[in-house]
Every structure is written in structure tokens, then in C-alpha cells.
Amino acid sequence: MIKNLKICGISDPKTLDYILNHPFPPKFIGFITNYKKSRRYVEYENLKNLININKKQTYFVSVLVDPSDKLLEKIKDLNFDYYQLYDVDPVRTAEIKKKYKIKIISAITISNKKDVDTYKDYLEISDIILFDSKGYHRSESFDHNLLEQVPNEINKMIAGNIQIDDIPNFKNKDFIIDLSGSIENNEGKKDINKIDKLLKLFAKT
């Protein structure tokens, strides 16, 4: 079965409030913290205000691409439960986890089987392994069949331009499903109706 959902790239209070108060909220919500190329990027002051709220059963995730020490010090007291790290090697990942006492999602970007095997370097460090495309701020796919040999017991998440209607295809997969672009409108803004459809579909899966 699908473990749970992550909705990524939330940037405004109205959408966040809707998700948190939905009858079937996702387990994870992601916020783009330092990748300015993304249209979903949230400036620090706005981010601080956005996530300074009480949450019940949902984890807040700071999405970070090769974060500097300066940035990590700046955000260390924000209301995050996980850091999702891109382009961070295992040694530095371990340092960040130890210093900031926070759970880690290590993002492995995939284009071939060799890329997939990189997850093994993070097994003793990271709390969740995320398998994503190499698109970063662009919604791109990769061949999910490349993950067939990844053991079921690993706590894993999958992203890469997953569509709402793809959700039933994952019902027998032991993944946390991560969506962003597929729940946006033509202007690149999160669409409440699409989010509602996603969460209701997941609840039935």
C-alpha cells in the first residue's frame, strides 16, 4: 500500500490552511527554502510567518539544495520536522543531522540504475530516501521501474512529475508519494480543487 503523501511547494497561507484542515491531510508538506530558480521558492521572512502555526499530524519539510552553513543557522529554529537535502553527500548529511538534531530526507536524482544505487550510501544516515528526477524545479519524470530492486523495508519516497491519476498505480507500492506540479494550475499556482481530488483519491486507495 502507499505509505502516505507529500505535497511539495506550498507558498501561501490559504493553500496551507486548506491542506492542514482537509479531512484527509497528507503526512508531509514541503517548502522550497533556498532554491530561487523554483517558482515555488519562499523568501525567508515569508517562510517564517507561513509555517509559524500549530500543526497536528503533518510534518513540515524544508527543501534544500546544497545549503550553506549560514542558511542552516538562519533556519534552525523554524517549524520544520525534516530537511530534504539535494546535492549533499553522505558525510555532510550526517553532520547536518547531528548538529541540528533533525530528521533527514535524502534526495537521489535518477536517470539510470547506477543513480539508484546511490541510496545505499545514505542508508545508515537518512530517515527517508527520496527518489526524484533530475528536473529539480522542472516537473520531469524518470523510469520508476528502475526502483524495483530497492528493498521494501527501506523508508522511501518517490517524486518526478507524478500525476493525480497515477496514484492508484502505486497502491501496491511501499512508497510515500510526492506531488507538486500536477496539483498546480496553468499559472504554476497550487490548485485547491486538484489538491482536494488528490487527497480524496489517496484516502480511497
Side-chain angles (χ1 to χ4, degrees):
M1 61 177 293
I2 300 172
K3 281 188 176 181
N4 220 301
L5 289 177
K6 173 171 172 278
I7 290 180
C8 200
I10 299 305
S11 58
D12 68 278
K14 180 180 178 181
T15 304
L16 180 58
D17 182 71
Y18 178 82
I19 294 171
L20 290 174
N21 290 287
H22 195 277
F24 312 109
K27 195 68 174 178
F28 302 86
I29 299 177
F31 304 86
I32 311 302
T33 306
N34 76 328
Y35 196 62
K36 295 182 180 181
K37 291 181 180 180
S38 173
R39 62 174 178 256
R40 306 163 187 121
Y41 166 69
V42 186
E43 292 279 357
Y44 173 77
E45 289 298 330
N46 292 335
L47 179 63
K48 182 171 68 172
N49 293 329
L50 178 64
I51 67 172
N52 185 28
I53 57 176
N54 291 321
K55 54 191 192 301
K56 300 174 184 177
Q57 300 176 353
T58 300
Y59 296 121
F60 282 179
V61 180
S62 173
V63 180
L64 298 157
V65 179
D66 189 21
S68 66
D69 291 335
K70 182 179 180 181
L71 175 68
L72 291 171
E73 283 297 309
K74 190 174 183 178
I75 68 170
K76 66 180 181 180
D77 295 321
L78 298 188
N79 192 20
F80 286 121
D81 304 287
Y82 285 81
Y83 287 169
Q84 179 175 314
L85 303 177
Y86 286 82
D87 297 344
V88 180
D89 65 44
V91 173
R92 178 149 170 77
T93 299
E95 292 172 352
I96 292 172
K97 182 175 184 177
K98 181 178 180 181
K99 182 174 182 179
Y100 296 102
K101 297 178 175 59
I102 193 161
K103 292 183 176 181
I104 298 292
I105 300 171
S106 284
I108 310 297
T109 56
I110 307 297
S111 63
N112 54 52
K113 182 63 169 62
K114 184 178 180 181
D115 292 334
V116 174
D117 290 339
T118 306
Y119 82 86
K120 298 174 184 177
D121 298 331
Y122 294 86
L123 284 179
E124 302 301 319
I125 306 164
S126 306
D127 299 277
I128 299 172
I129 305 293
L130 166 62
F131 297 95
D132 200 354
S133 74
K134 292 186 179 290
Y136 289 84
H137 60 290
R138 302 183 304 275
S139 294
E140 295 183 359
S141 303
F142 71 95
D143 183 2
H144 294 156
N145 291 323
L146 291 171
L147 306 180
E148 288 183 354
Q149 301 305 314
V150 178
N152 288 334
E153 61 268 21
I154 293 173
N155 199 14
K156 51 195 178 294
M157 185 180 288
I158 186 170
N161 199 30
I162 297 172
Q163 303 299 306
I164 296 174
D165 291 338
D166 293 335
I167 294 298
N169 298 333
F170 289 95
K171 66 181 180 180
N172 295 319
K173 305 291 186 182
D174 196 22
F175 284 102
I176 302 163
I177 310 298
D178 186 350
L179 293 91
S180 183
S182 61
I183 46 175
E184 295 175 347
N185 60 26
N186 293 333
E187 298 175 351
K189 302 292 185 182
K190 289 294 185 288
D191 186 315
I192 294 297
N193 291 326
K194 290 183 179 180
I195 291 172
D196 181 52
K197 178 182 176 182
L198 166 67
L199 296 176
K200 287 178 177 176
L201 181 60
F202 169 71
K204 296 177 181 178
T205 302

